[in-house]
Amino acid sequence: MGEGLNKLCGTNYPASICFIVVNEFCERFSYYGMRAVLTLYFLTYLGWDHDLSTAVYHAFSSLCYFTPVLGAIIADTWLGKFKTIIYLSVVYVLGHVIKSVGAIPTVGSNTVHIALSMVGLILIAFGTGGIKPCVAAFGGDQFQEKHHITQQLLSIFIIIIIFFFAIRPRGDVQCFGGDCYALAFGVPAALMMVALVVFILGSSLYRRNPPQGNILLEVCNCIGFAIKNRWRRSKYESKRRHWLDWAEDKYSKRLITEIKMVLRVLLLYIPLPMFWALFDQQGSRWTLQATRMNMSFGAFSIKPDQMQTLNALLILVFVPVFDLFIYPLVSLCRINITPLRKMATGMIFAALAFGAATLVEVHVVKTVVKPAPAGQCLLQVFNLAPGDVRLHFPESQPFPEPLMYLQVALGVNDYIEKNDEGAPLLRFVNTLSEAVTVTVGDETFHADANYSVSANKTLQRGVYNKVSCSLQSKTCPDLDLGLLDFGASYTVVLLEESGRITTHKMEDVHANNVHVAWQIPQYVLITAGEVMFSITGLEFSYSQAPANMKSVLQAGWLLTVAFGNVIVLIIAEGAGLEQWKEFVLFAVLLLAVCGVFSVMAHFYTYVDAQHLDKMDANDHSGGQRSSSDDDDDHNGCADTLDKKKRGLEPSTRL
């Protein structure tokens, strides 16, 4: 096997790193390409409602962040990183294939589609989550000089993730008579196959380190032993200085000291899932909000899920802007911007983003027709008689005013809904004496003679001023339907006037009148919050614990994302609130959590960066440490960097 000695021309990068980077390119494209359309797939293809679609989306996202812990344990204690990536990539590909097959309409019933989709998503979650902690670490293993170059590699991986999240494609491809979700999931499956093949092709060049044990398991075992030992012996032995000191019978003081430092940081993680509960709704609730908005930008239109791209693009802009301009300007105002203060500010920005989303939602729902209550139904009346008509009902009068000719009236309890993807709906009422066939875009409508109604079909938003029409006996002139706009539901009445066929278009449900650009402020706010919270948070964590404990902190950080998605799952399925009220609830909860976090941060004592450097230097020297050295470590973790906190504050650069 290779030892990673072959270098790329003119660089210090080993040749093997090319295969790993290409693998990461394809895998990230595969994951984000699939996840981008997932909520709309649940909604439009599987026929689930908004709440169930949101809940399953976040259940999947949560599982994707629970499984990295399992992948790290498998790699470090059993298979090693190389084999773990290979085996779990096979699981990943299999999940994509099953998911694609489940999106083919001709494969079984809706129950079969649901079953295949869920099996596929579970396999994808284990695949993407399992290899997540391994790929970057395996890339770092290829270098002999670790510190500077592996940080560059990590930056490359971060940029890859953002880049592919930003450029993921979304077209108007149709197949099987509708949106081609089979292809939408098939392309990511093919890319994941490419990722696996490319990774295998570099096998002979990789430097492979054998499994050396998992520090996370060691930490958990130490904590478990301390708790068990304290429970058994605290009644007849003297009290220890710290509850973890009960593990000294089995574990070194050095390890115990390091775990104490890690636990101080992990304690700060407890409030963090609430931020992720808001942040990850870009792919669910915010996408669903976009389906009820006008998505036209003049010469082109976008899809609801494509608004998520704005977050990735803004990150590329905000990271250098914050690092080079905003933070230095704040420092000039003599404001001490510690990492924890940045994170608290990021939470406030996320809450403000949901405040902005609430304002948008209040205006969006004005064009949305609520479904009829249980036990009631829709009554819709078209007056096609040549004169005014007055309707009388035995117990109520839903139409107190007379209906004029060619007027449509909707009962109070309307069940007409907007299309789940924001596309216009169209149907025809044929008042002619013979059947008619009308072709609008790619859709064909047929209505029998004498006041028959065609099927209601979805069309692409656009201007239709040359619509072909044919009767049983002749071909009629082209019809002009005008603009069929986002979210509207139209009924077109076909009439014969003065020997020629004319149309009368009626708007049953109003078009979306709030432009999707009004979502931009909430994306700007949530991205600013992400830059201050996410990037700062992980770097702060790494600055507060020894280098050999970074994998424990990474596991803890990923679990905060997982639990954040669990929170959304619970509220989406259990709260039963109107959408704008749910947005308000999330904003208020995050502000409350931010208050708790701020109090915890106020009492947090920063670890001296110089002390950590000393501990890491001792790790690399491999020398034996005395008991007094361990005691120094214990005392040193309480040191502070008064006022300026020399060199502690992490950079926000990628």
Side-chain angles (χ1 to χ4, degrees):
M1 82 181 54
E3 290 298 322
L5 297 178
N6 297 324
K7 302 292 184 179
L8 291 177
C9 180
T11 71
N12 288 325
Y13 290 96
S16 58
I17 208 65
C18 289
F19 296 92
I20 297 173
V21 170
V22 172
N23 169 271
E24 182 73 358
F25 263 70
C26 295
E27 190 276 328
R28 289 293 85 189
F29 198 110
S30 170
Y31 175 73
Y32 285 115
M34 178 276 303
R35 200 184 73 161
V37 298
L38 201 54
T39 300
L40 296 179
Y41 170 76
F42 294 150
L43 195 68
T44 62
Y45 187 83
L46 298 184
W48 293 347
D49 61 26
H50 286 200
D51 290 340
L52 182 58
S53 300
T54 299
V56 176
Y57 174 88
H58 287 282
F60 167 72
S61 298
S62 177
L63 187 58
C64 287
Y65 284 94
F66 278 121
T67 51
V69 177
L70 178 62
I73 293 174
I74 292 174
D76 291 341
T77 62
W78 181 26
L79 295 177
K81 299 182 186 72
F82 175 77
K83 290 184 178 179
T84 301
I85 294 172
I86 293 291
Y87 295 159
L88 290 181
S89 292
V90 172
V91 173
Y92 201 163
V93 170
L94 183 61
H96 270 305
V97 171
I98 294 174
K99 187 78 183 68
S100 302
V101 172
I104 299 176
T106 56
V107 178
S109 63
N110 191 55
T111 303
V112 174
H113 296 156
I114 293 174
L116 290 175
S117 297
M118 294 305 100
V119 171
L121 287 177
I122 291 172
L123 293 177
I124 290 171
F126 276 95
T128 187
I131 69 176
K132 188 188 296 289
C134 299
V135 175
F138 187 68
D141 289 346
Q142 308 310 304
F143 297 96
Q144 293 177 326
E145 298 178 1
K146 297 289 183 182
H147 298 289
H148 177 63
I149 298 181
T150 52
Q151 181 61 35
Q152 291 178 346
L153 180 65
L154 181 60
S155 298
I156 291 173
F157 284 157
I158 293 173
I159 292 172
I160 288 171
I161 292 170
I162 295 173
F163 177 75
F164 273 109
F165 187 77
I167 69 167
R168 67 191 192 283
R170 176 85 154 92
D172 294 324
V173 181
Q174 302 281 309
C175 63
F176 303 105
D179 282 343
C180 200
Y181 285 106
L183 181 62
F185 296 135
V187 171
L191 284 169
M192 192 58 217
M193 292 179 188
V194 172
L196 177 58
V197 170
V198 169
F199 186 77
I200 294 175
L201 289 176
S203 299
S204 61
L205 300 175
Y206 296 140
R207 178 194 299 275
R208 306 183 203 176
N209 296 331
Q212 298 176 344
N214 186 268
I215 186 65
L216 179 60
L217 287 179
E218 189 174 4
V219 169
C220 293
N221 290 334
C222 180
I223 293 174
F225 181 81
I227 294 173
K228 182 173 63 175
N229 210 23
R230 181 186 182 188
W231 176 262
R232 291 177 177 178
R233 301 170 58 181
S234 61
K235 296 180 180 179
Y236 52 87
E237 290 191 15
S238 58
K239 188 176 180 180
R240 304 290 173 93
R241 185 175 181 180
H242 189 280
W243 64 270
L244 266 176
D245 293 336
W246 289 95
E248 289 179 351
D249 296 347
K250 185 176 180 180
Y251 296 92
S252 68
K253 289 185 177 180
R254 171 58 183 269
L255 177 63
I256 293 171
T257 299
E258 291 174 342
I259 295 176
K260 290 176 184 177
M261 299 170 72
V262 168
L263 290 180
R264 293 173 66 250
V265 178
L266 292 180
L267 183 64
L268 290 174
Y269 282 7
I270 294 176
L272 304 191
M274 200 65 227
F275 173 87
W276 298 114
L278 276 68
F279 180 81
D280 278 351
Q281 289 188 57
Q282 294 175 72
S284 56
R285 292 303 200 193
W286 286 14
T287 298
L288 295 176
Q289 183 185 68
T291 64
R292 293 170 290 154
M293 303 179 75
N294 191 311
M295 294 171 282
S296 174
F297 287 86
F300 67 95
S301 299
I302 65 172
K303 295 290 186 179
D305 55 277
Q306 287 179 320
M307 282 300 291
Q308 300 172 52
T309 302
L310 191 58
N311 170 251
L313 296 175
L314 287 172
I315 287 179
L316 296 175
V317 175
F318 280 4
V319 169
V321 167
F322 272 76
D323 198 29
L324 300 176
F325 299 103
I326 294 181
Y327 293 148
L329 286 175
V330 174
S331 298
L332 289 176
C333 298
R334 298 183 180 180
I335 299 175
N336 186 15
I337 47 173
T338 64
L340 295 180
R341 288 180 180 177
K342 288 182 186 177
M343 294 176 66
T345 306
M347 291 182 180
I348 294 173
F349 270 85
L352 291 175
F354 268 65
T358 301
L359 295 177
V360 172
E361 184 68 20
V362 168
H363 288 85
V364 164
V365 296
K366 291 180 180 178
T367 64
V368 177
V369 182
K370 295 182 180 180
Q376 300 187 27
C377 64
L378 162 72
L379 176 62
Q380 185 175 20
V381 179
F382 295 98
N383 181 13
L384 302 179
D388 294 349
V389 173
R390 185 180 294 275
L391 300 176
H392 298 278
F393 295 84
E395 298 180 357
S396 63
Q397 294 298 325
F399 310 111
E401 300 296 328
L403 304 180
M404 294 181 291
Y405 178 53
L406 294 180
Q407 180 181 355
V408 59
L410 304 180
V412 176
N413 303 307
D414 194 351
Y415 192 66
I416 297 178
E417 295 182 344
K418 289 180 178 289
N419 176 264
D420 290 326
E421 283 194 309
L425 290 166
L426 177 66
R427 63 180 174 179
F428 290 88
V429 175
N430 180 19
T431 67
L432 308 177
S433 58
E434 55 182 312
V436 62
T437 299
V438 182
T439 301
V440 185
D442 296 329
E443 297 292 344
T444 300
F445 298 80
H446 179 80
D448 292 329
N450 300 321
Y451 299 93
S452 293
V453 182
S454 73
N456 208 338
K457 296 185 179 182
T458 302
L459 298 168
Q460 295 295 323
R461 186 258 189 194
V463 177
Y464 296 87
N465 50 20
K466 290 185 178 181
V467 174
S468 63
C469 167
S470 62
L471 303 173
Q472 286 181 330
S473 60
K474 60 181 180 179
T475 299
C476 52
D478 289 343
L479 306 176
D480 184 3
L481 303 183
L483 174 64
L484 302 182
D485 210 354
F486 286 111
S489 180
Y490 298 98
T491 296
V492 175
V493 181
L494 299 176
L495 305 165
E496 186 172 2
E497 297 178 347
S498 302
R500 59 187 300 269
I501 297 176
T502 61
T503 61
H504 182 82
K505 184 174 68 174
M506 295 180 287
E507 193 176 63
D508 303 336
V509 176
H510 293 304
N512 301 341
N513 57 9
V514 180
H515 198 275
V516 75
W518 285 105
Q519 279 196 330
I520 293 177
Q522 64 200 56
Y523 275 97
V524 170
L525 290 168
I526 200 75
T527 306
E530 180 188 10
V531 170
M532 288 185 283
F533 179 89
S534 179
I535 297 176
T536 303
L538 199 53
E539 290 185 349
F540 158 77
S541 303
Y542 286 174
S543 74
Q544 297 296 289
N548 65 324
M549 289 289 170
K550 287 184 179 180
S551 60
V552 179
L553 291 174
Q554 185 186 33
W557 186 263
L558 294 175
L559 290 178
T560 65
V561 182
F563 283 112
N565 281 275
V566 171
I567 293 173
V568 183
L569 189 159
I570 294 171
I571 293 179
E573 277 294 288
L577 299 173
E578 293 181 53
Q579 190 56 70
W580 71 269
K581 294 179 180 178
E582 185 180 289
F583 284 158
V584 171
L585 174 62
F586 276 109
V588 171
L589 287 175
L590 183 57
L591 288 175
V593 167
C594 179
V596 174
F597 179 78
S598 298
V599 172
M600 297 171 66
H602 178 74
F603 291 101
Y604 180 80
T605 303
Y606 285 91
V607 175
D608 192 331
Q610 294 178 354
H611 175 68
L612 285 179
D613 292 340
K614 176 185 174 183
M615 295 178 68
D616 293 339
N618 287 329
D619 280 340
H620 295 306
S621 66
Q624 297 295 322
R625 295 171 53 83
S626 65
S627 174
S628 61
D629 290 332
D630 289 325
D631 291 338
D632 288 342
D633 284 343
H634 180 79
N635 296 329
C637 71
D639 291 343
T640 61
L641 292 177
D642 294 332
K643 299 180 181 179
K644 295 185 179 179
K645 309 225 172 13
R646 298 181 302 267
L648 170 64
E649 187 173 334
S651 169
T652 57
R653 288 189 295 269
L654 288 174

